[in-house]
Amino acid sequence: EPEVTQTPSHQVTQMGQEVILRCVPISNHLYFYWYRQILGQKVEFLVSFYNNEISEKSEIFDDQFSVERPDGSNFTLKIRSTKLEDSAMYFCASSERSSGNTIYFGEGSWLTVV
Amino acid sequence: GQNIDQPTEMTATEGAIVQINCTYQTSGFNGLFWYQQHAGEAPTFLSYNVLDGLEEKGRFSSFLSRSKGYSYLLLKELQMKDSASYLCAVRAINQAGTALIFGKGTTLSVSS
């Protein structure tokens, strides 16, 4: 069964450093997402991406964050200058189309900012 | 704005039936999803409702009433492996209409 893959599975970084989280969405999917989940809290929407541009973003997704689809398969989330409160599990997800389609999640990248 | 409410915790015994409720308030509505999440793992899709009524899928069923802003997930013949968090998520109608907004999840503990 096709799946969303993410790397790295776990990253530890120092406060102020830049981090790039990578994702390979399911190959025939057109919509890509990033979500995050702080330990013990709910899954929070960050951003959705379609047709090579951001289609919507939440209040969490400020100027510190950016997304990119550098080639035909990868989808990345960059955090420019990490803060302690960015420590969370970051989930990439994808769906075939917008409405009525299931969003499939990757296994997550656990980011620890120290 | 959007608001999704579900109980924080529930307990049940093996073989039993449990119903997890979810109420929501959204600016527009374009579908409700239920996901299962084991600790430290990704959410996995369980069910999707966009029209009123019951959707059945093996041991899992999900119900939706759009007029009441209400859904439930019904789990039958509970097994120990069903111990997990169950996330209610709503897709609201907005400019792009794609993102899911999640509730805080209901942690279900199944005991023998």
Coordinates of all heavy atoms in Angstrom, one line a residue, chain A residues 31 33 35 37 42-43 45 48 55-56 89 91 98-107, chain B residues 30 33 35 37 40-43 45 48 87 91 94 96-104:
Chain A
Y31 N -2.5 17.1 -3.2 CA -2.6 18.0 -2.1 C -1.6 17.6 -1.0 O -1.7 16.4 -0.6 CB -4.0 18.1 -1.5 CG -5.0 18.8 -2.5 CD1 -5.5 18.1 -3.5 CD2 -5.3 20.1 -2.4 CE1 -6.4 18.7 -4.5 CE2 -6.1 20.8 -3.3 CZ -6.7 20.0 -4.3 OH -7.5 20.6 -5.2
Y33 N 0.2 18.5 3.0 CA 0.0 19.2 4.2 C 1.1 19.0 5.2 O 1.8 17.9 5.1 CB -1.3 18.6 4.9 CG -2.5 18.5 4.0 CD1 -2.7 17.3 3.2 CD2 -3.4 19.5 3.9 CE1 -3.7 17.2 2.3 CE2 -4.5 19.4 3.0 CZ -4.7 18.2 2.3 OH -5.8 18.1 1.4
Y35 N 1.3 19.1 9.4 CA 0.6 19.2 10.7 C 1.7 19.0 11.8 O 2.7 18.5 11.6 CB -0.4 18.1 10.9 CG -1.7 18.3 10.2 CD1 -1.8 18.0 8.8 CD2 -2.9 18.8 10.8 CE1 -3.0 18.1 8.1 CE2 -4.0 19.0 10.1 CZ -4.1 18.6 8.8 OH -5.3 18.8 8.1
Q37 N 2.2 18.1 16.2 CA 1.5 17.7 17.5 C 2.6 17.8 18.6 O 3.5 17.0 18.6 CB 1.0 16.2 17.3 CG 0.2 15.8 18.5 CD -0.4 14.4 18.3 OE1 0.2 13.6 17.6 NE2 -1.6 14.2 18.9
K42 N -3.2 18.2 20.9 CA -3.9 17.8 19.7 C -3.0 18.0 18.4 O -2.1 18.8 18.4 CB -5.2 18.5 19.5 CG -5.1 20.0 19.3 CD -6.5 20.6 19.1 CE -6.5 22.0 18.8 NZ -7.8 22.6 18.5
V43 N -3.5 17.4 17.3 CA -2.9 17.5 16.0 C -3.3 18.9 15.5 O -4.5 19.2 15.4 CB -3.3 16.4 15.1 CG1 -2.8 16.6 13.7 CG2 -2.9 15.0 15.6
F45 N -3.1 21.9 12.4 CA -2.9 22.1 11.0 C -1.9 23.3 10.9 O -2.0 24.3 11.6 CB -4.2 22.5 10.3 CG -4.0 23.1 9.0 CD1 -3.6 22.3 7.9 CD2 -4.3 24.4 8.7 CE1 -3.5 22.8 6.6 CE2 -4.2 25.0 7.5 CZ -3.8 24.2 6.4
S48 N -1.3 23.9 3.9 CA -1.6 23.0 2.8 C -1.1 23.6 1.5 O -0.9 24.8 1.4 CB -3.1 22.7 2.7 OG -3.8 24.0 2.4
S55 N -2.0 26.8 -0.3 CA -3.4 27.1 -0.5 C -4.1 27.6 0.7 O -5.1 28.3 0.7 CB -4.2 25.8 -1.0 OG -3.9 24.7 -0.2
E56 N -3.6 27.2 1.9 CA -4.1 27.8 3.1 C -3.0 27.6 4.2 O -2.2 26.6 4.1 CB -5.4 27.3 3.6 CG -5.5 25.8 3.7 CD -6.9 25.3 4.0 OE1 -7.7 26.0 4.7 OE2 -7.3 24.2 3.5
M89 N 6.1 16.7 17.2 CA 6.1 15.7 16.1 C 5.5 16.5 14.9 O 4.4 17.1 15.0 CB 5.2 14.5 16.5 CG 5.2 13.5 15.4 SD 6.7 12.5 15.3 CE 6.2 11.1 16.3
F91 N 4.0 16.0 11.2 CA 3.4 15.1 10.3 C 3.2 15.7 8.9 O 2.6 16.7 8.8 CB 2.0 14.6 10.8 CG 2.1 13.7 12.0 CD1 1.6 14.2 13.2 CD2 2.6 12.4 12.0 CE1 1.6 13.5 14.4 CE2 2.6 11.7 13.2 CZ 2.1 12.2 14.4
S98 N -9.0 17.7 -3.0 CA -9.4 18.4 -1.8 C -10.5 17.8 -1.0 O -10.3 17.2 0.0 CB -9.6 19.9 -2.1 OG -10.7 20.0 -3.0
S99 N -11.7 18.0 -1.5 CA -12.9 17.6 -0.7 C -13.2 16.1 -0.9 O -13.0 15.6 -2.0 CB -14.1 18.5 -1.0 OG -14.4 18.4 -2.4
G100 N -13.6 15.5 0.1 CA -14.1 14.1 0.0 C -13.0 13.1 0.0 O -13.3 11.9 -0.2
N101 N -11.8 13.5 0.1 CA -10.7 12.5 0.0 C -10.0 12.4 1.3 O -9.7 13.4 2.0 CB -9.7 12.9 -1.1 CG -10.0 12.1 -2.4 OD1 -10.0 12.6 -3.4 ND2 -10.2 10.8 -2.2
T102 N -9.6 11.2 1.6 CA -8.9 11.0 2.9 C -7.5 11.6 2.8 O -6.9 11.6 1.8 CB -8.8 9.5 3.1 OG1 -10.1 8.9 3.1 CG2 -8.0 9.1 4.4
I103 N -7.1 12.2 3.9 CA -5.8 12.6 4.1 C -5.0 11.5 4.8 O -5.3 11.0 5.8 CB -5.7 13.9 4.9 CG1 -6.4 15.1 4.2 CG2 -4.3 14.3 5.3 CD1 -6.4 16.4 4.9
Y104 N -3.9 11.1 4.2 CA -3.0 10.1 4.7 C -1.8 10.7 5.3 O -1.1 11.6 4.7 CB -2.6 9.1 3.6 CG -3.8 8.3 3.0 CD1 -4.5 8.7 2.0 CD2 -4.1 7.1 3.7 CE1 -5.6 8.0 1.5 CE2 -5.2 6.4 3.2 CZ -5.9 6.8 2.1 OH -7.0 6.1 1.7
F105 N -1.4 10.2 6.5 CA -0.3 10.8 7.2 C 0.9 10.0 7.2 O 0.9 8.7 7.1 CB -0.7 11.0 8.7 CG -1.7 12.1 9.0 CD1 -3.0 11.9 8.7 CD2 -1.2 13.3 9.5 CE1 -3.9 13.0 9.0 CE2 -2.1 14.3 9.7 CZ -3.4 14.2 9.4
G106 N 2.1 10.6 7.1 CA 3.3 9.9 7.3 C 3.6 9.6 8.8 O 2.8 10.0 9.7
E107 N 4.7 8.9 9.1 CA 5.0 8.4 10.4 C 5.5 9.6 11.3 O 5.6 9.4 12.5 CB 6.0 7.3 10.4 CG 5.5 6.0 9.8 CD 4.3 5.5 10.6 OE1 4.4 5.4 11.9 OE2 3.3 5.1 10.0
Chain B
N30 N -17.6 20.5 5.4 CA -17.3 19.8 4.1 C -16.8 18.4 4.5 O -15.9 17.9 3.8 CB -16.3 20.6 3.3 CG -16.3 20.1 1.9 OD1 -17.2 19.5 1.4 ND2 -15.2 20.5 1.2
F33 N -14.2 13.4 9.7 CA -13.3 12.2 9.6 C -13.0 11.7 11.0 O -13.0 12.5 12.0 CB -11.9 12.6 9.0 CG -12.0 12.9 7.5 CD1 -12.5 14.1 7.1 CD2 -11.5 12.0 6.6 CE1 -12.6 14.5 5.8 CE2 -11.6 12.4 5.2 CZ -12.1 13.6 4.8
Y35 N -10.0 9.4 13.0 CA -8.7 8.8 12.9 C -8.4 8.1 14.2 O -8.9 8.5 15.3 CB -7.6 9.9 12.6 CG -7.6 10.3 11.2 CD1 -8.4 11.3 10.7 CD2 -6.6 9.8 10.3 CE1 -8.3 11.7 9.4 CE2 -6.5 10.3 9.0 CZ -7.4 11.2 8.6 OH -7.3 11.7 7.3
Q37 N -5.1 7.0 16.6 CA -3.7 7.3 16.8 C -3.2 6.6 18.0 O -3.6 6.8 19.1 CB -3.5 8.8 16.9 CG -2.0 9.2 17.0 CD -1.8 10.7 17.1 OE1 -2.6 11.4 17.7 NE2 -0.7 11.1 16.6
G40 N 2.7 7.9 20.0 CA 3.9 8.1 19.2 C 3.8 7.7 17.8 O 4.9 7.7 17.1
E41 N 2.6 7.5 17.3 CA 2.5 7.1 15.9 C 1.6 8.1 15.1 O 1.1 9.0 15.7 CB 1.8 5.7 15.8 CG 2.7 4.6 16.4 CD 2.1 3.2 16.3 OE1 1.2 3.0 15.5 OE2 2.7 2.3 16.9
A42 N 1.5 7.9 13.8 CA 0.7 8.8 13.0 C -0.8 8.4 13.1 O -1.1 7.3 13.4 CB 1.2 8.6 11.5
P43 N -1.6 9.4 12.9 CA -3.0 9.2 12.8 C -3.3 8.3 11.6 O -2.8 8.5 10.5 CB -3.7 10.5 12.6 CG -2.6 11.5 13.1 CD -1.3 10.9 12.8
F45 N -6.5 6.6 9.2 CA -7.9 6.9 8.8 C -8.8 5.7 9.2 O -8.5 4.6 9.0 CB -7.9 7.1 7.3 CG -9.3 7.1 6.7 CD1 -10.1 8.3 6.9 CD2 -9.8 6.0 6.0 CE1 -11.4 8.3 6.4 CE2 -11.1 6.1 5.5 CZ -11.9 7.2 5.7
Y48 N -15.2 8.3 7.2 CA -15.5 9.6 6.6 C -17.0 9.7 6.5 O -17.6 8.8 5.9 CB -14.8 9.8 5.3 CG -15.3 10.9 4.4 CD1 -15.1 12.2 4.8 CD2 -15.9 10.7 3.2 CE1 -15.5 13.3 4.0 CE2 -16.3 11.7 2.4 CZ -16.1 13.0 2.8 OH -16.5 14.0 2.0
L87 N -9.5 10.5 17.1 CA -9.5 11.9 16.8 C -10.6 12.2 15.8 O -10.8 11.5 14.8 CB -8.2 12.3 16.1 CG -6.9 11.8 16.7 CD1 -5.7 12.3 15.8 CD2 -6.7 12.2 18.1
R91 N -13.6 19.0 8.1 CA -13.1 19.8 7.0 C -14.1 20.9 6.8 O -15.3 20.7 6.5 CB -13.0 19.0 5.8 CG -12.6 19.7 4.5 CD -12.4 18.8 3.4 NE -11.0 18.3 3.4 CZ -10.7 17.0 3.0 NH1 -11.6 16.2 2.6 NH2 -9.4 16.7 3.0
N94 N -13.6 26.7 3.3 CA -12.9 28.0 3.3 C -12.4 28.2 1.9 O -12.9 27.6 1.0 CB -11.8 27.9 4.4 CG -10.9 26.8 4.2 OD1 -10.7 26.3 3.1 ND2 -10.3 26.3 5.3
A96 N -9.8 27.4 0.3 CA -9.4 26.2 -0.4 C -10.1 24.9 0.0 O -10.2 24.0 -0.8 CB -7.9 26.0 -0.2
G97 N -10.6 24.9 1.2 CA -11.4 23.8 1.6 C -10.7 22.4 1.7 O -11.3 21.4 1.4
T98 N -9.4 22.4 2.1 CA -8.8 21.1 2.1 C -8.3 20.7 3.5 O -8.3 19.5 3.7 CB -7.5 21.2 1.2 OG1 -6.6 22.2 1.7 CG2 -7.8 21.5 -0.2
A99 N -8.0 21.6 4.3 CA -7.4 21.2 5.6 C -8.4 20.5 6.5 O -9.6 20.9 6.6 CB -6.8 22.4 6.3
L100 N -7.9 19.6 7.3 CA -8.7 19.0 8.4 C -8.3 19.7 9.7 O -7.2 19.9 10.0 CB -8.4 17.5 8.6 CG -8.9 16.6 7.5 CD1 -8.6 15.1 7.8 CD2 -10.4 16.8 7.2
I101 N -9.3 20.0 10.5 CA -9.1 20.6 11.8 C -9.5 19.5 12.8 O -10.6 19.0 12.8 CB -9.9 21.8 12.1 CG1 -9.6 22.9 11.0 CG2 -9.6 22.4 13.5 CD1 -8.2 23.3 10.8
F102 N -8.5 19.2 13.8 CA -8.7 18.1 14.7 C -9.2 18.5 16.0 O -8.9 19.6 16.5 CB -7.4 17.3 14.9 CG -7.0 16.5 13.7 CD1 -6.4 17.0 12.6 CD2 -7.3 15.1 13.7 CE1 -6.0 16.2 11.5 CE2 -7.0 14.3 12.7 CZ -6.3 14.8 11.6
G103 N -10.0 17.7 16.7 CA -10.3 17.8 18.1 C -9.1 17.3 18.9 O -8.1 16.8 18.3
K104 N -9.3 17.4 20.2 CA -8.2 17.0 21.1 C -8.0 15.5 21.2 O -7.0 15.0 21.7 CB -8.4 17.6 22.5 CG -8.2 19.1 22.4 CD -8.4 19.7 23.8 CE -8.2 21.2 23.7 NZ -8.4 21.9 25.0

